[in-house]
Amino acid sequence: MFRHHDNSRSAEALRLVSVSKTYGTPGHPESRTTALDNVSLSLAAGTFTAVMGPSGSGKSTLLQCAAGLDSPDNGVVVVDGAQMAGRTEAQLTKFRRERIGFIFQQYNLLDTLTVLQNVTLPLRTAGKRPRPGHAEHILTQVGLGNRLDALPSQLSGGQRQRVAVARALVTNPSVIFGDEPTGALDTRSAKNVLELLRETVRNFGQTVVMVTHDPVAASYADSVLFLADGRLAGQLHQPTPSAVAERMAHLGDASLAATAASQDRTLVGV
Ligand SMILES: Nc1ncnc2c1ncn2[C@@H]1O[C@H](COP(=O)(O)OP(=O)(O)OP(=O)(O)O)[C@@H](O)[C@H]1O
């Protein structure tokens, strides 16, 4: 099993209430960019959500704020029932280590560590002793049980990303965030990693939130959230690649976005 079902878990994995984030240099109003504008959403535990939108629409900022890597100017972020705000940097780090998993486009594995050492690293940095056989078991589940002692440089891109998925799973996090996790992979490896992510959600109740530019990748999710100009601009349930591509093509249509956003406020119930 990838993880044990944990009855202490909240039924809601992630909640954002009126989250806004503006970048800019103080005293230079012309430099202000509103990256997130009053975004509210609620994601149930055990769901797979894709986040899409044009370049600069706020996808990475949304992920960073939701994962506690950046703090919003306004609004509230709640992960697995716990608020991010009001924590010291040390408390936030501990919170991220214990509750949040990350998968990046460029894998972010340590080249000098073996596959197994990379996967147990988050436990070691948290000062925890890996449960005997646990990381090996997860690596077997992601299809790498026979590559435990390999170095990342000896693996394909798809295999490296599966190591990164195993590393994200090893702490049994409340939410795994992926920033373009299949962006650097060929079609076949991408399919493999996306199927793996979907399996962790379907079979083991993991919650996954993934930013992607690819409608095919997004179609593996249970639903897609669309962002435009820092605002939620729609949601698509049980997405197909063509339906996602169609919505993306019309994201610039302000009236459609406004209609979709008002529908979504009802859909997500916040
Ligand atoms: N650290 C920063 N300083 C200043 N502006 C920023 C910073 N980070 C993001 N922005 C701006 O905020 C807006 C949203 O950026 P963000 O990276 O969240 O978008 P994105 O949808 O992830 O884009 P992409 O698809 O190109 O990665 C953009 O206009 C961007 O230029």
Side-chain angles (χ1 to χ4, degrees):
M1 289 241 292
F2 285 112
R3 54 171 284 187
H4 300 286
H5 285 282
D6 184 346
N7 291 335
S8 65
R9 285 277 160 83
S10 169
E12 187 183 52
L14 178 68
R15 169 173 281 246
L16 269 60
V17 185
S18 304
V19 168
S20 297
K21 178 79 185 174
T22 301
Y23 293 106
T25 315
H28 293 269
E30 74 288 353
S31 72
R32 282 171 69 88
T33 304
T34 302
L36 286 180
D37 186 3
N38 211 19
V39 171
S40 296
L41 59 87
S42 167
L43 303 180
T47 56
F48 188 179
T49 304
V51 179
M52 296 194 82
S55 183
S57 58
K59 304 182 292 298
S60 294
T61 307
L62 177 74
L63 221 61
Q64 303 268 320
C65 288
L69 287 168
D70 204 346
S71 46
D73 300 329
N74 289 298
V76 176
V77 176
V78 184
V79 173
D80 194 16
Q83 273 210 37
M84 292 281 192
R87 291 170 192 269
T88 63
E89 200 48 52
Q91 288 169 333
L92 258 184
T93 303
K94 184 169 187 291
F95 186 88
R96 281 195 304 265
R97 275 190 192 141
E98 292 178 353
R99 307 276 195 107
I100 288 170
F102 288 100
I103 313 168
F104 302 93
Q105 182 170 346
Q106 293 304 334
Y107 328 124
N108 289 19
L109 301 177
L110 292 183
D111 294 340
T112 53
L113 298 186
T114 66
V115 163
L116 183 60
Q117 288 167 336
N118 264 288
V119 171
T120 54
L121 191 64
L123 297 170
R124 292 179 197 283
T125 22
K128 293 188 177 152
R129 190 189 291 263
R131 256 191 290 140
H134 180 55
E136 291 87 337
H137 184 62
I138 293 176
L139 278 161
T140 303
Q141 298 291 321
V142 305
L144 292 170
N146 57 350
R147 303 306 303 273
L148 302 182
D149 297 324
L151 292 170
S153 59
Q154 297 168 320
L155 302 179
S156 70
Q159 289 171 328
R160 287 182 211 191
Q161 199 57 303
R162 281 189 278 143
V163 176
V165 173
R167 182 184 54 186
L169 286 164
V170 79
T171 55
N172 193 19
S174 305
V175 186
I176 292 180
F177 292 99
D179 201 350
E180 297 259 8
T182 56
L185 301 179
D186 61 74
T187 309
R188 195 179 154 158
S189 304
K191 182 171 184 287
N192 206 276
V193 167
L194 289 161
E195 281 172 351
L196 175 62
L197 290 175
R198 189 162 63 183
E199 199 181 321
T200 68
V201 172
R202 292 274 152 80
N203 300 349
F204 307 106
Q206 183 63 59
T207 307
V208 176
V209 181
M210 168 183 81
V211 165
T212 180
H213 281 107
D214 176 7
V216 174
S219 73
Y220 282 77
D222 301 315
S223 67
V224 183
L225 293 176
F226 295 93
L227 279 180
D229 297 327
R231 295 194 194 142
L232 263 191
Q235 187 175 27
L236 200 57
H237 294 286
Q238 297 180 328
T240 61
S242 54
V244 173
E246 167 84 359
R247 281 289 270 273
M248 280 297 286
H250 292 100
L251 265 189
D253 182 334
S255 62
L256 177 71
T259 311
S262 74
Q263 285 169 351
D264 287 336
R265 275 195 286 279
T266 317
L267 274 174
V268 299
V270 288

